[in-house]
Amino acid sequence: MSSPTVSTTLSRIAGESARHPARVFTTLAHHMTVEFLREAFFRVRPHAAPGVDGVTWHAYEENLEGNLGDLHRRLRAGRYHAPPVRRAWIEKEDGRRRPLGIPTLEDKIVQRSVTMLLEAVYEPLFHEFSYGFRPGRSAHQALRILRTQCLSLNISWIVDADVRSYFDNIDHGHLRTFLKRKVNDGVLLRLIGKWLNAGVLEEGQLMRPEAGSPQGGVVSPILANIYLHYVLDEWMVRDVQPRLSGGSFVQRFADDFVTGCTERTDAERIYAVLPKRFARFGLTIHATKSRLIEFRRPDGKAGKGAGTFDFLGFTHYWGKTRKGGWTIKRKTRRVREARALKAIWAWCRDHRHWSLPEQHRCLSRKLQGHYAFYGIRGNYKALEVVYEHADRTWKHWLGRRTRNGYVTWDEYVKKYRQAFPLPTPRIIHAC
């Protein structure tokens, strides 16, 4: 449960920011009391991987008050040092690997504290079309609003832009300038500077990148949102949209964004100027992954809609309704579906020696997690593909446990499926 004192403090800061958009906050760090740090500690995930020092959440909790008191004294005296983050790697859809930085637990606590303060300042200022990594906002809300905007504005053109390695290329100088427009607290700025320059530890080697914000850092999402708030959001609202001849919208989730236009000339102008705008701030619009797409409602009852585009793991396309009309539908992106199938096969293979109840419990959770995100209206067939693949894959690897190395379908149904049924697909979101 959130501390009433901390909640009151954050509400007061948010209220001041909303009432006075031009105000620059110069004294925020004094709010980071022991109570504030304690609140931040309980907002850190208890089972998250430890950083380079190996300290876990539960070990730190054993002497929580003593540890937080010592941390608070070091912060007050300016003796807090940000250790390097531990690097891990996760596989991307295109086969490449994406780096993930894992800070130490104390770093997570302090970063969470700074994030809470920054969110209080910036949340009243962020635009409504920004949904990524914001309290009370989700990808499914962004998907619903995107579809509504396309239909209500009669959008005919989509600018689908891809930012190349966004988190790795955030320019520290520009970020500092953006932050000072609203937060010019020396203590907070120095802390952020320490995290940006702490470096990455991988296989015993320390690397200090000159740009970027480590993915996995607690403070990185809010810093990334602040950066794109000024690079993209404010620019679109103040400079671009007022000059367009037709209707338009922007929808952004972190660094994934699309722009819709009713007029082709407007879309072409945005598509042409986006790379120049982003290059000014050290970012690159991926030339081969960015597209200008015709996405108009089909004429008549025959044929199909022109063009498709991808956003937040779904392919958006025009399809027929039950009454014969046209509407925008969504289905799981092929690369996301292929990745899910591959992951299920690998998991069943690697854990085939676990007990049946353990396998069933974990595999069920994986399927339920997949349904929880991709279970949107109109996407049932794609969910069925994943379910049927999991069913066949589990049968295959359970058969490898037998003497013959194989089980027939009847044997699988009678011996395994009836006792351990996998969760069937279900639509969870009507977005």
Side-chain angles (χ1 to χ4, degrees):
M1 186 174 180
S2 180
S3 164
T5 303
V6 174
S7 297
T8 301
T9 298
L10 295 176
S11 297
R12 185 169 63 249
I13 295 171
E16 284 292 311
S17 183
R19 287 190 296 271
H20 309 286
R23 175 179 174 178
V24 179
F25 290 83
T26 57
T27 55
L28 288 172
H30 68 280
H31 293 300
M32 294 169 59
T33 61
V34 172
E35 184 177 8
F36 203 92
L37 294 172
R38 186 186 304 113
E39 174 75 16
F41 170 79
F42 284 109
R43 294 192 185 189
V44 173
R45 290 189 295 117
H47 300 291
V52 294
D53 60 0
V55 177
T56 65
W57 190 92
H58 294 286
Y60 199 86
E61 187 188 27
E62 292 178 0
N63 184 28
L64 182 59
E65 296 308 312
N67 289 329
L68 292 179
D70 178 64
L71 176 59
H72 181 252
R73 286 190 291 272
R74 282 182 280 138
L75 286 170
R76 290 288 300 273
R79 292 186 290 106
Y80 179 80
H81 299 287
V85 299
R86 180 168 65 87
R87 172 162 286 177
W89 293 89
I90 58 177
E91 188 175 338
K92 297 180 67 174
E93 297 166 1
D94 55 9
R96 296 182 299 166
R97 296 192 304 164
R98 178 163 61 91
L100 183 68
I102 303 175
T104 62
L105 180 69
E106 279 200 338
D107 238 7
K108 292 176 184 177
I109 297 171
V110 183
Q111 287 189 29
R112 176 58 64 191
S113 299
V114 172
T115 297
M116 289 156 58
L117 292 171
L118 292 179
E119 284 179 348
V121 172
Y122 282 98
E123 274 298 315
L125 307 179
F126 285 157
H127 291 283
E128 282 297 313
F129 55 77
S130 169
Y131 281 85
F133 306 122
R134 294 183 59 188
R137 290 172 171 254
S138 69
H140 296 99
Q141 291 175 335
L143 289 166
R144 183 177 66 251
I145 297 300
L146 171 63
R147 182 175 181 272
T148 300
Q149 295 266 49
C150 285
L151 293 172
S152 62
L153 295 177
N154 199 24
I155 293 298
S156 298
W157 295 88
I158 295 289
V159 178
D160 183 9
D162 182 87
V163 185
R164 178 181 291 172
S165 302
Y166 171 61
F167 282 87
D168 296 335
N169 291 298
I170 293 176
D171 183 273
H172 294 173
H174 287 305
L175 176 60
R176 193 175 298 109
T177 300
F178 291 150
L179 283 167
K180 287 183 178 180
R181 294 184 183 182
K182 285 298 297 179
V183 177
N184 199 14
D185 184 311
V187 175
L188 294 192
L189 293 178
R190 281 192 294 273
L191 281 173
I192 293 171
K194 288 179 180 180
W195 293 322
L196 294 176
N197 296 292
V200 176
L201 190 65
E202 182 178 12
E203 296 181 353
Q205 292 188 344
L206 180 63
M207 296 168 285
R208 297 186 185 276
E210 296 181 358
S213 180
Q215 296 185 60
V218 177
V219 77
S220 291
I222 183 68
L223 295 181
N225 266 339
I226 292 170
Y227 202 83
L228 279 184
H229 172 74
Y230 291 107
V231 172
L232 177 68
D233 302 352
E234 285 281 277
W235 172 68
M236 286 292 297
V237 171
R238 293 185 178 181
D239 299 331
V240 177
Q241 289 182 313
R243 293 177 170 84
L244 300 180
S245 58
S248 67
F249 74 85
V250 184
Q251 197 72 9
R252 181 171 72 81
F253 192 94
D255 61 325
D256 193 1
F257 69 95
V258 294
T259 303
C261 298
T262 58
E263 303 296 327
R264 177 172 182 166
T265 54
D266 291 339
E268 289 175 338
R269 290 171 61 191
I270 294 173
Y271 186 70
V273 77
L274 268 177
K276 301 174 185 177
R277 172 68 181 181
F278 275 65
R280 179 181 169 188
F281 298 98
L283 300 174
T284 303
I285 296 294
H286 206 298
T288 58
K289 293 184 178 181
S290 300
R291 299 184 300 154
L292 179 60
I293 304 154
E294 185 178 9
F295 194 70
R296 66 177 69 252
R297 185 190 300 268
D299 294 327
K301 296 183 178 181
K304 61 180 181 179
T308 66
F309 69 94
D310 298 324
F311 185 65
L312 295 182
F314 294 89
T315 297
H316 301 248
Y317 65 99
W318 285 99
K320 300 295 285 291
T321 65
R322 291 182 178 180
K323 295 182 178 181
W326 290 97
T327 190
I328 296 173
K329 297 185 176 183
R330 285 76 51 89
K331 60 183 178 181
T332 308
R333 286 184 63 188
R334 287 186 179 180
V335 289
R336 293 288 184 94
E337 184 177 279
R339 186 174 66 179
L341 303 184
K342 180 180 178 182
I344 289 172
W345 177 271
W347 189 90
C348 289
R349 177 196 62 203
D350 296 341
H351 298 83
R352 63 187 183 274
H353 300 301
W354 281 16
S355 69
L356 283 175
E358 288 177 316
Q359 287 192 52
H360 176 256
R361 182 171 60 253
C362 291
L363 188 55
S364 295
R365 287 178 180 173
K366 290 181 180 298
L367 287 174
Q368 289 166 344
H370 186 86
Y371 304 155
F373 185 80
Y374 292 103
I376 69 173
R377 184 176 55 188
N379 196 38
Y380 190 83
K381 289 184 178 180
L383 300 184
E384 278 188 321
V385 170
V386 175
Y387 166 76
E388 291 169 0
H389 172 80
D391 203 26
R392 292 192 304 268
T393 298
W394 202 29
K395 168 189 173 298
H396 172 83
W397 288 108
L398 287 177
R400 297 293 293 269
R401 292 159 51 112
T402 65
R403 180 175 300 177
N404 297 329
Y406 177 80
V407 293
T408 66
W409 190 256
D410 288 339
E411 290 175 333
Y412 170 68
V413 171
K414 293 177 181 178
K415 186 176 180 181
Y416 301 108
R417 187 197 261 180
Q418 290 182 356
F420 300 99
L422 294 176
T424 54
R426 55 186 295 236
I427 299 301
I428 298 174
H429 308 281
C431 56

